[in-house]
Amino acid sequence: MKVYLDNAATTKPLATVVSIVNELMIDDYGNPSSMHAMGLNAEKIIKKSREYVAKALDVEEKEVYFTSGATESNNTAIFGAVNQMKRQRKHIITSKIEHPSVLMCMEKLEQEGFSVTYLNVDKDGIIDVEELKNSIREDTILVSVMAVNNEIGAVEPLNEIYKLKNKYNFIFHTDAVQAFKKISVEQFNMADLITISGHKIHGLKGIGALIVKEDVKIKPLILGGGQERGFRSGTENIVGIASLGAAASFTMHTDRVLELKNKLALELSNIPGIVINNKNAKAPHILNISFTGKRGEVILHELEAKGIYVSTGSACHSNKFGESHVLSAIGMNKNDIGAAIRISLGEFNTEKEIEYVIESIKEIVR
Ligand code: PMP
């Protein structure tokens, strides 16, 4: 049996995505900037996808800008906001558990002389809103806090940040990669800048979007031919954009995913030697567990031998962050961090698969 449980790293493309890709590559390969019918057709595909993404996020179509993925969206949001305001202001706030595509930008800005506050999180990975409030300065440009953490599924209190935004005057960015299509949009679509990614929601890799609210001004990062209304140059990735549109408009069954996660968590918590590291996580798809006295990568390969694919920590960060900075920030000790694996569920997992995983883990522990 093959059981894919690494959906926070990437997901299987939907069948509709695969057929759209096939169709577009054979017939509709025009450049939307071309003035002939094939160009016009490509433009229509982008328009339709923008409509789907806007609808799924409950934002305006004109607020959606397609990018090459969440890494670019995060870079654009952060540097775009800073470049807009760097003459007057020098301070940025983020959290200690952001994705490297946020943290590396912060590091670069610090090297350039900006001051960055890294908010602490509690044992569940949740920021302290009081600490945030106390960190806001007159020269704060940006607050960037993710909606859902990719290693432990913590859902951050973005509504509280939004309330502060209305009182103080900063730009509010959220990396919503692990939130989009997983939790309700009201929990994250109030941010000024919102990052999403195609391949985390059963679309293609190399496509994402940055939502820029109409009243927010940030500088573009990629200059050139003026595509995406001058905000993001480069010939549009039509196939990717179409895949993002299709995935965004697809009805995901998150209740079912949550049920499977809860079943898995309950059964695993009864196995001696297994600790659930994210008991209170509100995200429906991420379970983080440690195998006391064992190494996460050893367990990963033992599971792999049984056809089960999981991850240690997060699959997508560079070695620079080494041992999970997220698990460390929630106060776990080095041994438990080294013993951790992340199981992330998705749309296509079944109850039968979860039962097989439970039995397999029992066997491994034995
Ligand atoms: N942010 C988060 C929270 C993520 O999980 C990921 C993917 N690991 C990214 C950003 C980067 O996404 P992409 O692969 O689309 O650049």
Side-chain angles (χ1 to χ4, degrees):
M1 197 181 221
K2 177 181 166 182
V3 187
Y4 184 74
L5 286 173
D6 201 10
N7 289 278
T10 198
T11 56
K12 177 180 171 152
L14 298 171
T16 49
V17 165
V18 177
S19 62
I20 287 170
V21 170
N22 194 43
E23 220 172 275
L24 294 187
M25 295 197 89
I26 291 168
D27 290 321
D28 291 315
Y29 49 84
N31 184 330
S33 299
S34 297
M35 286 171 73
H36 48 68
M38 282 179 73
L40 223 64
N41 200 29
E43 204 182 312
K44 271 192 203 148
I45 292 163
I46 299 179
K47 189 175 180 318
K48 201 76 206 156
S49 291
R50 203 183 307 282
E51 202 180 295
Y52 288 144
V53 171
K55 187 153 182 260
L57 284 165
D58 196 14
V59 299
E60 301 286 326
E61 283 167 44
K62 58 177 177 272
E63 295 173 330
V64 178
Y65 296 93
F66 293 114
T67 66
S68 67
T71 297
E72 184 191 321
S73 295
N74 284 343
N75 274 254
T76 305
I78 295 164
F79 293 119
V82 167
N83 288 338
Q84 183 71 32
M85 290 209 236
K86 67 182 171 193
R87 278 172 190 238
Q88 313 94 316
R89 305 193 197 187
K90 286 275 174 254
H91 180 235
I92 302 132
I93 301 173
T94 190
S95 85
K96 286 190 175 163
I97 62 165
E98 298 298 311
H99 188 266
S101 56
V102 167
L103 291 177
M104 294 295 283
C105 296
M106 298 300 169
E107 203 172 285
K108 183 161 191 289
L109 288 169
E110 278 183 304
Q111 285 160 9
E112 290 175 9
F114 289 88
S115 156
V116 180
T117 301
Y118 297 89
L119 299 173
N120 291 302
V121 293
D122 66 13
K123 64 173 191 2
D124 296 321
I126 307 294
I127 61 157
D128 177 351
V129 179
E130 271 310 299
E131 189 195 0
L132 167 61
K133 198 170 157 190
N134 295 333
S135 307
I136 298 169
R137 307 190 330 204
E138 261 192 5
D139 69 340
T140 302
I141 299 171
L142 176 75
V143 174
S144 178
V145 173
M146 69 202 321
V148 171
N149 179 269
N150 49 306
E151 291 187 46
I152 52 171
V155 178
E156 299 299 336
L158 300 192
N159 267 312
E160 298 301 316
I161 305 179
Y162 181 66
K163 282 185 208 154
L164 292 173
K165 181 200 129 61
N166 285 340
K167 201 159 159 211
Y168 305 92
N169 177 22
F170 55 78
I171 295 178
F172 174 21
H173 167 242
T174 190
D175 173 346
V177 166
Q178 302 289 348
F180 187 34
K181 305 298 281 183
K182 304 288 184 338
I183 63 172
S184 65
V185 289
E186 307 84 65
Q187 291 177 82
F188 61 90
N189 76 349
M190 79 301 281
D192 295 321
L193 307 170
I194 306 164
T195 291
I196 60 164
S197 175
H199 72 109
K200 311 286 183 171
I201 57 163
H202 304 282
L204 294 186
K205 295 166 186 65
I207 187 68
L210 180 66
I211 309 308
V212 183
K213 293 289 171 64
E214 204 187 354
D215 54 347
V216 176
K217 267 199 96 56
I218 66 167
K219 293 261 196 263
L221 197 65
I222 298 182
L223 308 176
Q227 288 88 346
E228 290 295 274
R229 291 150 285 147
F231 185 71
R232 199 280 187 179
S233 287
T235 301
E236 297 88 338
N237 173 3
I238 305 293
V239 169
I241 290 172
S243 84
L244 182 56
S249 57
F250 186 82
T251 306
M252 307 278 178
H253 301 87
T254 34
D255 286 353
R256 206 173 52 80
V257 173
L258 177 63
E259 258 173 47
L260 294 179
K261 185 191 83 161
N262 287 342
K263 179 184 169 95
L264 190 56
L266 181 67
E267 294 284 339
L268 296 183
S269 65
N270 288 330
I271 302 176
I274 292 185
V275 184
I276 312 280
N277 299 322
N278 66 338
K279 277 191 203 76
N280 300 320
K282 295 279 189 299
H285 62 308
I286 299 175
L287 187 63
N288 197 303
I289 61 175
S290 285
F291 290 72
T292 311
K294 304 225 163 55
R295 295 290 305 166
E297 59 263 34
V298 174
I299 300 289
L300 179 147
H301 290 304
E302 286 189 43
L303 285 168
E304 185 182 15
K306 293 179 183 293
I308 301 165
Y309 297 90
V310 299
S311 155
T312 59
S314 99
C316 42
H317 58 60
S318 69
N319 287 336
K320 189 181 171 303
F321 286 87
E323 242 160 33
S324 166
H325 63 291
V326 176
L327 299 184
S328 162
I330 63 171
M332 280 174 58
N333 65 45
K334 258 187 171 310
N335 285 340
D336 286 346
I337 294 175
I341 64 164
R342 176 185 69 183
I343 299 175
S344 49
L345 297 92
E347 180 66 20
F348 300 121
N349 290 124
T350 64
E351 190 158 354
K352 226 173 154 180
E353 287 180 349
I354 296 307
E355 278 160 10
Y356 173 68
V357 172
I358 294 164
E359 280 318 305
S360 301
I361 291 181
K362 279 184 185 164
E363 248 174 58
I364 290 170
V365 171
R366 240 184 265 142

